[in-house]
Amino acid sequence: MREFGYQRADDVSGAVALLAADPDARFLGGGTNLVDLMKTGVERPARLVDVRELPLDAVEETSDGGLRIGATVTNSDLAAHPEVRRRYPALTQAVLAGASGQLRNMATVGGNLLQRTRCGYFTDLSKPCNKRVPGSGCSAITGEHHNHAVLGASDHCVAVHPSDMGVALAAFDAVVGFETPDGPGELPLADFYLPVGDTPHRETALPAGALITGVTLPPAPVAARSRYRKVRERASYAFAIGSVAAALDVEDGVVREARLAFGAVASRPWRARAAEAVLTGAPADGDTFAAAADAELAAARPLPDNGYKVTLMRNLAVAVLTELAEETAR
Ligand SMILES: Cc1cc2nc3c(=O)[nH]c(=O)nc-3n(C[C@H](O)[C@H](O)[C@H](O)COP(=O)(O)OP(=O)(O)OC[C@H]3O[C@@H](n4cnc5c(N)ncnc54)[C@H](O)[C@@H]3O)c2cc1C
Ligand code: SF4
């Protein structure tokens, strides 16, 4: 690893000022992704600004009945928080489905949202990768892509976003708060990740040098009846090959409200709005759930080796919705 400077930030404005003063600096959360990328030479920051001691480590009620989660809350603390477990159970399940206990103790909410793709070519400096070196090409399209995107990808990059937490946050309309030298700002998660297009190296709409300060979850009564299910290649810990966050409100056999998001199928957590439109107001039965999944997956453009994901996601979505309907019918 190359030499780099290290500084611990004590307050938010100081952290933002430190990064503004040094364009080669990076914020350090738990370091569970950034330090790995520094070891392989993918990331080469001149200085790390450690944000873990900033006063952003609380989960608090908002005045309208939602929750605000600080950016340095660890994954473990987020998953264990009683109000998260009670009001947004799919978020707890998603976080606990990610990584290992040790990693979750270190990893932070801000770092989780900004973790980089696990595409093997991204970390292999000997191979072309448009995300790592713009304009160099995409090795995955003609190479190993069995775990790559089937939705929203482009000819320039087919990598998936690896976050489990982000999928539940997408289903619940989370809003990301940040701080810049010009003041605070916020971005709905739906606008936070940029479409791939021909600029896969530009992953988010965050202004350069912005510090994520937290994530706000609006009140969503339907979220109390939610679930996250992840399919992975081994039981101990592994990134998803497909996942679903779902919430369902059923009354008299009819879906009153539905939330659905897919993970590991696109460059960002994928809110399944076409499926939600089919679900809302329809009978809560297997035919509706299958039609909803099909409506969402009609846009899928699989590559030769990842077409299985379309079937996997259809089955996963139908299974999770069926379970929720059985549990929540009243
Ligand atoms: C073996 C292994 C298995 C894993 N499995 C999973 C899994 O199954 N599911 C899953 O979702 N994740 C998984 N992860 C990823 C893990 O969740 C991420 O590494 C972690 O969430 C990143 O958080 P961090 O705080 O350590 O980020 P860091 O590594 O510190 O930072 C990541 C990026 O975020 C930036 N950053 C950090 N905090 C802020 C902030 N407040 N504002 C602005 N920028 C910031 C950093 O500059 C860096 O670019 C796994 C990781 C490993 C190593
Ligand atoms: S899929 Fe994206 S990250 Fe992977 S090699 Fe292609 S451009 Fe790079």
Side-chain angles (χ1 to χ4, degrees):
M1 202 190 293
R2 295 172 3 139
E3 283 192 12
F4 58 90
Y6 170 88
Q7 214 153 345
R8 181 171 287 171
D10 299 323
D11 56 55
V12 167
S13 58
V16 171
L18 279 169
L19 224 76
D22 184 352
D24 290 329
R26 296 273 194 291
F27 293 123
L28 178 72
T32 62
N33 187 217
L34 180 56
V35 175
D36 274 359
L37 294 175
M38 289 168 66
K39 288 180 188 163
T40 55
V42 174
E43 290 270 13
R44 297 166 163 251
R47 175 189 302 269
L48 295 181
V49 176
D50 190 341
V51 300
R52 273 182 61 111
E53 299 299 318
L54 294 180
L56 300 172
D57 60 348
V59 179
E60 299 162 315
E61 302 257 350
T62 57
S63 54
D64 63 358
L67 289 181
R68 180 173 164 76
I69 303 158
T72 64
V73 172
T74 65
N75 288 16
S76 296
D77 286 347
L78 176 62
H81 194 280
E83 288 305 308
V84 176
R85 293 172 53 155
R86 188 171 70 83
R87 292 199 233 167
Y88 306 89
L91 178 55
T92 284
Q93 293 162 13
V95 175
L96 291 178
S100 64
Q102 291 95 330
L103 285 159
R104 292 195 296 270
N105 288 343
M106 286 298 292
T108 61
V109 168
N112 188 280
L113 292 178
L114 291 183
Q115 65 175 294
R116 309 298 303 275
T117 183
R118 296 284 158 162
C119 173
Y121 300 109
F122 177 68
T123 46
D124 182 348
L125 299 189
S126 71
K127 297 289 194 309
C129 169
N130 287 326
K131 193 181 274 299
R132 180 168 34 77
V133 182
S136 62
C138 173
S139 300
I141 288 178
T142 52
E144 171 57 55
H145 55 241
H146 85 280
N147 192 23
H148 284 57
V150 293
L151 288 165
S154 79
D155 292 343
H156 300 272
C157 179
V158 290
V160 295
H161 196 274
S163 170
D164 290 297
M165 180 192 300
V167 183
L169 292 177
F172 302 144
D173 292 323
V175 176
V176 182
F178 60 86
E179 187 74 30
T180 72
D182 300 327
E186 32 176 64
L187 279 166
L189 200 71
D191 303 328
F192 183 77
Y193 297 104
L194 296 171
V196 189
D198 58 2
T199 53
H201 57 289
R202 292 188 58 236
E203 294 180 345
T204 75
L206 266 186
L211 173 77
I212 295 180
T213 50
V215 175
T216 302
L217 285 170
V222 68
R225 292 177 291 276
S226 64
R227 177 161 302 182
Y228 185 75
R229 171 95 40 94
K230 168 174 174 175
V231 177
R232 51 188 165 180
E233 287 174 342
R234 63 176 185 193
S236 57
Y237 66 93
F239 288 93
I241 56 173
S243 69
V244 164
L248 210 57
D249 183 14
V250 178
E251 191 174 341
D252 298 331
V254 172
V255 177
R256 284 168 51 92
E257 187 178 355
R259 303 286 184 96
L260 197 63
F262 294 168
V265 291
S267 64
R268 59 186 191 273
W270 187 266
R271 180 73 180 268
R273 295 211 182 264
E276 288 177 359
V278 171
L279 289 166
T280 308
D285 59 25
D287 288 346
T288 297
F289 301 153
D294 288 342
E296 195 64 46
L297 292 163
R301 298 286 175 269
L303 293 161
D305 298 332
N306 67 359
Y308 77 94
K309 281 198 177 190
V310 179
T311 313
L312 183 151
M313 293 306 298
R314 184 183 197 268
N315 292 343
L316 194 57
V318 171
V320 172
L321 290 167
T322 302
E323 286 173 15
L324 279 173
E326 285 169 1
E327 284 168 22
T328 63
R330 41 189 168 106

Short mmCIF file of all heavy atoms in Angstrom, two decimals, residues 268-305:
data_model
loop_
_atom_site.label_atom_id
_atom_site.label_comp_id
_atom_site.label_asym_id
_atom_site.label_seq_id
_atom_site.Cartn_x
_atom_site.Cartn_y
_atom_site.Cartn_z
N ARG A 268 -27.82 0.09 -9.21
CA ARG A 268 -28.31 0.75 -8.00
C ARG A 268 -29.42 -0.12 -7.39
O ARG A 268 -29.98 -0.97 -8.09
CB ARG A 268 -28.84 2.14 -8.33
CG ARG A 268 -29.97 2.14 -9.34
CD ARG A 268 -30.34 3.57 -9.71
NE ARG A 268 -31.56 3.66 -10.47
CZ ARG A 268 -31.66 3.56 -11.79
NH1 ARG A 268 -30.58 3.31 -12.50
NH2 ARG A 268 -32.82 3.69 -12.40
N PRO A 269 -29.71 0.10 -6.12
CA PRO A 269 -30.91 -0.57 -5.58
C PRO A 269 -32.08 -0.23 -6.48
O PRO A 269 -32.28 0.94 -6.82
CB PRO A 269 -31.05 0.06 -4.19
CG PRO A 269 -29.67 0.55 -3.85
CD PRO A 269 -29.06 0.98 -5.14
N TRP A 270 -32.85 -1.24 -6.87
CA TRP A 270 -33.83 -1.06 -7.95
C TRP A 270 -35.25 -1.03 -7.40
O TRP A 270 -35.80 -2.06 -7.01
CB TRP A 270 -33.69 -2.21 -8.95
CG TRP A 270 -34.52 -2.06 -10.18
CD1 TRP A 270 -35.78 -2.57 -10.38
CD2 TRP A 270 -34.17 -1.36 -11.37
NE1 TRP A 270 -36.22 -2.23 -11.63
CE2 TRP A 270 -35.26 -1.48 -12.26
CE3 TRP A 270 -33.05 -0.63 -11.77
CZ2 TRP A 270 -35.25 -0.92 -13.52
CZ3 TRP A 270 -33.02 -0.06 -13.03
CH2 TRP A 270 -34.12 -0.22 -13.89
N ARG A 271 -35.83 0.13 -7.35
CA ARG A 271 -37.22 0.25 -6.89
C ARG A 271 -38.14 -0.26 -8.00
O ARG A 271 -38.09 0.23 -9.14
CB ARG A 271 -37.54 1.71 -6.58
CG ARG A 271 -38.96 1.95 -6.09
CD ARG A 271 -39.17 1.45 -4.67
NE ARG A 271 -40.52 1.70 -4.22
CZ ARG A 271 -40.92 2.79 -3.58
NH1 ARG A 271 -40.04 3.73 -3.29
NH2 ARG A 271 -42.17 2.94 -3.22
N ALA A 272 -38.98 -1.22 -7.67
CA ALA A 272 -39.78 -1.92 -8.67
C ALA A 272 -41.14 -1.22 -8.82
O ALA A 272 -42.19 -1.74 -8.44
CB ALA A 272 -39.94 -3.38 -8.29
N ARG A 273 -41.13 -0.06 -9.43
CA ARG A 273 -42.36 0.75 -9.51
C ARG A 273 -43.39 0.16 -10.45
O ARG A 273 -44.60 0.29 -10.21
CB ARG A 273 -42.02 2.19 -9.90
CG ARG A 273 -41.18 2.89 -8.85
CD ARG A 273 -41.48 4.37 -8.82
NE ARG A 273 -40.63 5.04 -7.85
CZ ARG A 273 -40.99 5.32 -6.60
NH1 ARG A 273 -42.18 4.99 -6.15
NH2 ARG A 273 -40.16 5.92 -5.78
N ALA A 274 -42.96 -0.48 -11.54
CA ALA A 274 -43.93 -1.10 -12.45
C ALA A 274 -44.68 -2.21 -11.73
O ALA A 274 -45.90 -2.37 -11.87
CB ALA A 274 -43.21 -1.64 -13.69
N ALA A 275 -43.96 -2.98 -10.93
CA ALA A 275 -44.61 -4.05 -10.16
C ALA A 275 -45.57 -3.47 -9.13
O ALA A 275 -46.69 -3.98 -8.94
CB ALA A 275 -43.54 -4.90 -9.47
N GLU A 276 -45.15 -2.40 -8.45
CA GLU A 276 -46.03 -1.78 -7.44
C GLU A 276 -47.34 -1.31 -8.08
O GLU A 276 -48.41 -1.42 -7.47
CB GLU A 276 -45.31 -0.60 -6.79
CG GLU A 276 -44.19 -1.02 -5.86
CD GLU A 276 -43.43 0.16 -5.26
OE1 GLU A 276 -43.77 1.32 -5.60
OE2 GLU A 276 -42.52 -0.07 -4.49
N ALA A 277 -47.24 -0.79 -9.30
CA ALA A 277 -48.45 -0.30 -9.98
C ALA A 277 -49.42 -1.44 -10.24
O ALA A 277 -50.65 -1.28 -10.13
CB ALA A 277 -48.07 0.41 -11.28
N VAL A 278 -48.88 -2.62 -10.60
CA VAL A 278 -49.75 -3.78 -10.84
C VAL A 278 -50.37 -4.27 -9.53
O VAL A 278 -51.55 -4.65 -9.47
CB VAL A 278 -48.95 -4.92 -11.52
CG1 VAL A 278 -49.76 -6.20 -11.59
CG2 VAL A 278 -48.49 -4.49 -12.92
N LEU A 279 -49.58 -4.22 -8.47
CA LEU A 279 -50.05 -4.76 -7.18
C LEU A 279 -51.16 -3.92 -6.57
O LEU A 279 -52.15 -4.46 -6.03
CB LEU A 279 -48.88 -4.81 -6.19
CG LEU A 279 -47.80 -5.87 -6.47
CD1 LEU A 279 -46.54 -5.58 -5.64
CD2 LEU A 279 -48.33 -7.26 -6.15
N THR A 280 -51.02 -2.60 -6.65
CA THR A 280 -51.91 -1.72 -5.90
C THR A 280 -53.35 -1.82 -6.40
O THR A 280 -53.63 -1.61 -7.59
CB THR A 280 -51.42 -0.26 -6.00
OG1 THR A 280 -50.05 -0.24 -5.62
CG2 THR A 280 -52.22 0.65 -5.08
N GLY A 281 -54.26 -2.21 -5.50
CA GLY A 281 -55.68 -2.33 -5.84
C GLY A 281 -56.06 -3.67 -6.43
O GLY A 281 -57.23 -3.89 -6.74
N ALA A 282 -55.10 -4.58 -6.58
CA ALA A 282 -55.38 -5.88 -7.19
C ALA A 282 -55.57 -6.95 -6.10
O ALA A 282 -55.14 -6.76 -4.96
CB ALA A 282 -54.23 -6.27 -8.12
N PRO A 283 -56.20 -8.09 -6.46
CA PRO A 283 -56.34 -9.17 -5.49
C PRO A 283 -54.96 -9.64 -5.02
O PRO A 283 -54.04 -9.76 -5.83
CB PRO A 283 -57.05 -10.28 -6.28
CG PRO A 283 -57.64 -9.61 -7.47
CD PRO A 283 -56.82 -8.40 -7.76
N ALA A 284 -54.85 -9.89 -3.72
CA ALA A 284 -53.56 -10.33 -3.17
C ALA A 284 -53.39 -11.83 -3.38
O ALA A 284 -53.47 -12.61 -2.43
CB ALA A 284 -53.48 -9.96 -1.70
N ASP A 285 -53.16 -12.23 -4.63
CA ASP A 285 -53.01 -13.66 -4.90
C ASP A 285 -51.82 -13.91 -5.83
O ASP A 285 -51.19 -12.97 -6.32
CB ASP A 285 -54.30 -14.25 -5.48
CG ASP A 285 -54.71 -13.58 -6.79
OD1 ASP A 285 -53.82 -13.02 -7.49
OD2 ASP A 285 -55.91 -13.59 -7.11
N GLY A 286 -51.56 -15.18 -6.04
CA GLY A 286 -50.38 -15.57 -6.82
C GLY A 286 -50.38 -15.01 -8.23
O GLY A 286 -49.31 -14.64 -8.75
N ASP A 287 -51.55 -14.93 -8.88
CA ASP A 287 -51.60 -14.40 -10.24
C ASP A 287 -51.15 -12.95 -10.28
O ASP A 287 -50.41 -12.53 -11.16
CB ASP A 287 -53.03 -14.51 -10.80
CG ASP A 287 -53.41 -15.96 -11.11
OD1 ASP A 287 -52.49 -16.79 -11.14
OD2 ASP A 287 -54.61 -16.23 -11.28
N THR A 288 -51.65 -12.17 -9.29
CA THR A 288 -51.24 -10.76 -9.24
C THR A 288 -49.75 -10.64 -8.99
O THR A 288 -49.06 -9.83 -9.63
CB THR A 288 -52.00 -10.03 -8.10
OG1 THR A 288 -53.39 -10.07 -8.39
CG2 THR A 288 -51.53 -8.59 -7.97
N PHE A 289 -49.23 -11.43 -8.04
CA PHE A 289 -47.82 -11.31 -7.70
C PHE A 289 -46.94 -11.68 -8.91
O PHE A 289 -45.93 -11.02 -9.18
CB PHE A 289 -47.48 -12.20 -6.50
CG PHE A 289 -48.29 -11.84 -5.27
CD1 PHE A 289 -48.56 -12.79 -4.30
CD2 PHE A 289 -48.77 -10.55 -5.08
CE1 PHE A 289 -49.30 -12.46 -3.16
CE2 PHE A 289 -49.53 -10.21 -3.96
CZ PHE A 289 -49.80 -11.17 -3.00
N ALA A 290 -47.34 -12.72 -9.65
CA ALA A 290 -46.57 -13.11 -10.83
C ALA A 290 -46.65 -12.02 -11.90
O ALA A 290 -45.64 -11.69 -12.54
CB ALA A 290 -47.09 -14.44 -11.38
N ALA A 291 -47.86 -11.45 -12.08
CA ALA A 291 -48.01 -10.38 -13.09
C ALA A 291 -47.18 -9.16 -12.72
O ALA A 291 -46.59 -8.49 -13.59
CB ALA A 291 -49.49 -10.00 -13.21
N ALA A 292 -47.12 -8.88 -11.42
CA ALA A 292 -46.32 -7.73 -10.97
C ALA A 292 -44.84 -7.95 -11.25
O ALA A 292 -44.14 -7.06 -11.79
CB ALA A 292 -46.55 -7.50 -9.48
N ALA A 293 -44.36 -9.14 -10.89
CA ALA A 293 -42.94 -9.44 -11.14
C ALA A 293 -42.65 -9.39 -12.64
O ALA A 293 -41.62 -8.83 -13.08
CB ALA A 293 -42.59 -10.80 -10.57
N ASP A 294 -43.54 -9.94 -13.45
CA ASP A 294 -43.32 -9.94 -14.90
C ASP A 294 -43.30 -8.51 -15.44
O ASP A 294 -42.52 -8.19 -16.34
CB ASP A 294 -44.42 -10.74 -15.61
CG ASP A 294 -44.26 -12.24 -15.39
OD1 ASP A 294 -43.15 -12.66 -15.00
OD2 ASP A 294 -45.25 -12.98 -15.59
N ALA A 295 -44.17 -7.65 -14.90
CA ALA A 295 -44.21 -6.26 -15.38
C ALA A 295 -42.86 -5.58 -15.13
O ALA A 295 -42.36 -4.83 -15.97
CB ALA A 295 -45.33 -5.50 -14.67
N GLU A 296 -42.28 -5.84 -13.98
CA GLU A 296 -41.00 -5.22 -13.67
C GLU A 296 -39.88 -5.80 -14.53
O GLU A 296 -39.02 -5.07 -15.05
CB GLU A 296 -40.65 -5.42 -12.19
CG GLU A 296 -39.54 -4.52 -11.70
CD GLU A 296 -39.94 -3.05 -11.77
OE1 GLU A 296 -41.06 -2.71 -11.34
OE2 GLU A 296 -39.13 -2.25 -12.29
N LEU A 297 -39.91 -7.12 -14.68
CA LEU A 297 -38.79 -7.80 -15.34
C LEU A 297 -38.91 -7.76 -16.86
O LEU A 297 -38.00 -8.23 -17.56
CB LEU A 297 -38.70 -9.24 -14.82
CG LEU A 297 -38.28 -9.32 -13.34
CD1 LEU A 297 -38.59 -10.68 -12.74
CD2 LEU A 297 -36.80 -8.99 -13.18
N ALA A 298 -40.00 -7.19 -17.37
CA ALA A 298 -40.12 -7.06 -18.83
C ALA A 298 -38.99 -6.20 -19.39
O ALA A 298 -38.60 -6.35 -20.56
CB ALA A 298 -41.47 -6.44 -19.18
N ALA A 299 -38.44 -5.33 -18.56
CA ALA A 299 -37.35 -4.46 -19.01
C ALA A 299 -35.98 -5.13 -18.92
O ALA A 299 -34.96 -4.52 -19.27
CB ALA A 299 -37.34 -3.17 -18.18
N ALA A 300 -35.94 -6.38 -18.44
CA ALA A 300 -34.64 -7.05 -18.24
C ALA A 300 -33.95 -7.30 -19.58
O ALA A 300 -34.59 -7.67 -20.56
CB ALA A 300 -34.85 -8.36 -17.50
N ARG A 301 -32.64 -7.07 -19.61
CA ARG A 301 -31.82 -7.33 -20.79
C ARG A 301 -30.63 -8.19 -20.37
O ARG A 301 -29.52 -7.69 -20.22
CB ARG A 301 -31.31 -6.01 -21.40
CG ARG A 301 -32.41 -5.08 -21.90
CD ARG A 301 -33.04 -5.58 -23.21
NE ARG A 301 -34.17 -4.74 -23.61
CZ ARG A 301 -35.43 -4.96 -23.26
NH1 ARG A 301 -35.73 -6.01 -22.51
NH2 ARG A 301 -36.40 -4.16 -23.66
N PRO A 302 -30.87 -9.49 -20.17
CA PRO A 302 -29.78 -10.33 -19.66
C PRO A 302 -28.67 -10.56 -20.69
O PRO A 302 -28.90 -10.44 -21.90
CB PRO A 302 -30.46 -11.65 -19.31
CG PRO A 302 -31.76 -11.64 -20.04
CD PRO A 302 -32.13 -10.23 -20.30
N LEU A 303 -27.51 -10.89 -20.20
CA LEU A 303 -26.36 -11.29 -21.02
C LEU A 303 -26.39 -12.82 -21.14
O LEU A 303 -27.22 -13.48 -20.51
CB LEU A 303 -25.07 -10.81 -20.34
CG LEU A 303 -24.92 -9.29 -20.31
CD1 LEU A 303 -23.90 -8.87 -19.25
CD2 LEU A 303 -24.53 -8.76 -21.68
N PRO A 304 -25.47 -13.42 -21.94
CA PRO A 304 -25.56 -14.88 -22.13
C PRO A 304 -25.55 -15.69 -20.82
O PRO A 304 -26.21 -16.72 -20.73
CB PRO A 304 -24.30 -15.18 -22.96
CG PRO A 304 -24.04 -13.92 -23.72
CD PRO A 304 -24.46 -12.80 -22.82
N ASP A 305 -24.83 -15.22 -19.79
CA ASP A 305 -24.67 -16.05 -18.59
C ASP A 305 -25.42 -15.56 -17.36
O ASP A 305 -25.17 -16.06 -16.26
CB ASP A 305 -23.17 -16.16 -18.25
CG ASP A 305 -22.40 -16.84 -19.35
OD1 ASP A 305 -22.99 -17.67 -20.07
OD2 ASP A 305 -21.20 -16.54 -19.50
#
